[in-house]
Amino acid sequence: MIDLFYMQELPVAVMGLGKSGLATARALRDSGAEVRVWDDNPASRAAAEAEGFAVADLATADLSDLTTIVWSPGIPHTHPKPHPVAERARALGIELICDIELLGRAERDCAFIGITGTNGKSTTTTLIGHIMAAAGRRIAVGGNLGTPVLSFDPLGSGGTCILEMSSYQLELTHSITFDIAVLLNITPDHLARHGGMDGYIAAKTLIFHRQTRPRTAVIGVDDEHCRKIHADLVAAGDQRIWPVSAQGPVAGGVYAAEGWLVDDTDGAAARVVELSTLPTLLGAHNWQNAAAAFAACKAAGLPAPAIVAAMANFPGLAHRQQLVGSLEGVRFVNDSKATNADATEKALATFDPIYWILGGQAKDTGLNGLEGYGGRVRHAFLIGEAQDQFAAWLDAQGIAYTRCGTLDVATAKAAGMALAERLEGACVLLSPACASWDQFANFEKRGEAFSAYVAGIIGAHANSGGGTSGGSA
């Protein structure tokens, strides 16, 4: 656990007691800080109280001795309406920071690699961590990816913290200057939390905050917002800038072209790996992830052969186009992490024909942008709150569908149809384009449930004497 030695004997509050909030409270207490905690959820407060923490309602408690509140990034502090505790804290001059800011203040001697973007950041973060570990680097990987950063072992000089950074976390992290900063892409998401698209773009751009040479900015240039940011960075000339693309050549960067990953960072346009040989990095969106990871690891000093060798045995990311089973030629793919249409688009572009399971708690953007993929979808299976909204969209696209309500029913119906039709390349795809909160605690629980249902279908088939044609991957 990270030693927050500089907080010893100081009063500090923690607002929000989820996984990271509790980890933060524990790290502060173990470092000798005077900790008080709060969460609007009574169950979360009870769990903290059971661990011996002092629970105090920060909306009414005396905060006059505080200089810092460690804020859960998921709680609104500006838009669409700031939480009352945030308003009160700012009126009193109390700083709001997140746990990653505490990490940065404690680990001043290690290197930091930060990765952000609307989509692909978890895969890219995990891939960078896999490559760096394979090369023998001393690393820790976490942040928005799920591992609370204050649970890391201390790294110090020679270590590297590899952090997935959400827009919410970037707004609450002030002192870290990333040695290597990666921005993959920007498409509309979380707009209410940032007061609109301009606020969202501004939050993402914070990944490059205070970078100067020899620090490196790695930036995808396949969307107009990031192309504008890239142009602004080039004009300022503060840091080394390597563009990346899944759509073709970019001078001085890393890109996918003619089925190859090409490194032009030294001006040589060298082919480094044939993309079809990377089985867990299928599809153009993963080519962008691979290009960004290659660039980041090269910027960290790794040679190209070592990077490519590690890419080839990358196990992939759970819940992101994860093959969880196959039966009679039908693949079952868990893409539960696709919580918006832009993420789902990546999966729809990868498989054909698709028995598509979708729905849940819809985002503001709905299924906008998926209109061109109807020809790949053999049948859709609707679940969750979004059934009516998505049924209307599917009707407009001429895509046949079945209202299933729940994921177990949808999985069974999709598997039944796919196995009956036996089309070459068939894929039962859970790619919901929705948040999970109407039926599941998070997208991980949704993906785990799907995987369990698939395992049950495969097991039942084997027990009936049908045999199996593949397991999980």
Side-chain angles (χ1 to χ4, degrees), residues 121-469:
K121 55 186 176 292
S122 293
T123 297
T124 303
T125 302
T126 307
L127 179 57
I128 292 171
H130 173 78
I131 295 167
M132 295 279 282
R137 295 292 183 91
R138 187 157 45 85
I139 65 164
V141 182
N144 193 58
L145 192 62
T147 303
V149 298
L150 297 181
S151 66
F152 290 173
D153 291 330
L155 291 174
S157 180
T160 303
C161 289
I162 302 167
L163 305 177
E164 177 183 330
M165 299 292 295
S166 72
S167 53
Y168 303 165
Q169 290 166 325
L170 285 166
E171 288 186 325
L172 295 167
T173 302
H174 310 304
S175 67
I176 293 177
T177 302
F178 288 104
D179 298 279
I180 301 164
V182 180
L183 172 59
L184 294 165
N185 46 61
I186 295 178
T187 56
D189 200 14
H190 307 304
L191 299 190
R193 272 294 304 268
H194 296 289
M197 194 65 188
D198 288 346
Y200 181 54
I201 292 170
K204 288 297 191 187
T205 307
L206 289 172
I207 195 81
F208 303 119
H209 181 55
R210 287 202 308 258
Q211 274 199 317
T212 54
R213 293 179 185 273
R215 297 180 178 92
T216 303
V218 175
I219 181 166
V221 291
D222 291 341
D223 65 85
E224 61 175 318
H225 302 300
C226 285
R227 283 193 291 273
K228 172 65 165 58
I229 295 168
H230 173 260
D232 290 345
L233 292 177
V234 170
D238 291 331
Q239 71 272 77
R240 181 169 64 174
I241 303 161
W242 286 352
V244 299
S245 175
Q247 298 177 356
V250 285
V254 181
Y255 56 87
E258 299 178 347
W260 285 82
L261 190 67
V262 181
D263 175 14
D264 191 46
T265 57
D266 298 322
R271 289 182 168 187
V272 292
V273 63
E274 195 168 5
L275 290 160
S276 63
T277 65
L278 306 176
T280 58
L281 294 168
L282 300 174
H285 62 290
N286 273 322
W287 300 347
Q288 185 187 54
N289 298 336
F294 182 95
C297 291
K298 181 174 181 178
L302 300 188
I307 300 172
V308 169
M311 280 183 169
N313 59 34
F314 176 55
L317 184 68
H319 312 296
R320 194 71 177 105
Q321 292 188 27
Q322 177 190 16
L323 179 66
V324 295
S326 60
L327 179 62
E328 302 293 333
V330 176
R331 292 171 293 175
F332 294 84
V333 173
N334 167 21
D335 195 39
S336 182
K337 190 170 170 59
T339 58
N340 59 42
D342 193 63
T344 289
E345 186 269 340
K346 310 301 189 294
L348 295 181
T350 301
F351 304 101
D352 185 12
I354 298 167
Y355 299 81
W356 181 20
I357 301 171
L358 72 159
Q361 194 172 89
K363 298 287 184 73
D364 292 343
T365 49
L367 297 177
N368 293 344
L370 302 182
E371 292 79 7
Y373 293 95
R376 291 173 171 263
V377 178
R378 181 71 177 173
H379 199 92
F381 303 84
L382 292 165
I383 64 173
E385 288 180 6
Q387 281 192 115
D388 291 344
Q389 176 185 342
F390 285 6
W393 186 91
L394 292 165
D395 278 331
Q397 303 304 312
I399 299 172
Y401 61 88
T402 301
R403 295 173 187 262
C404 300
T406 57
L407 182 56
D408 56 339
V409 174
T411 305
K413 287 186 178 294
M417 186 178 292
L419 291 167
E421 294 185 344
R422 295 178 180 272
L423 299 176
E424 184 177 353
C427 175
V428 173
L429 172 68
L430 169 66
S431 191
C434 280
S436 61
W437 301 313
D438 56 335
Q439 295 183 344
F440 297 93
N442 48 52
F443 73 80
E444 292 96 340
K445 294 297 183 185
R446 179 171 60 191
E448 289 164 6
F450 174 72
S451 301
Y453 299 145
V454 170
I457 290 167
I458 293 174
H461 187 77
N463 292 336
S464 70
T468 62
S469 60

Side-chain angles (χ1 to χ4, degrees), residues 44 63 72 83 95 105 130 162 189 199 204 229 257 295 300 386 416 426 449:
S44 298
L63 306 182
S72 169
H83 192 283
E95 66 169 355
R105 295 177 184 182
H130 173 78
I162 302 167
D189 200 14
K204 288 297 191 187
I229 295 168

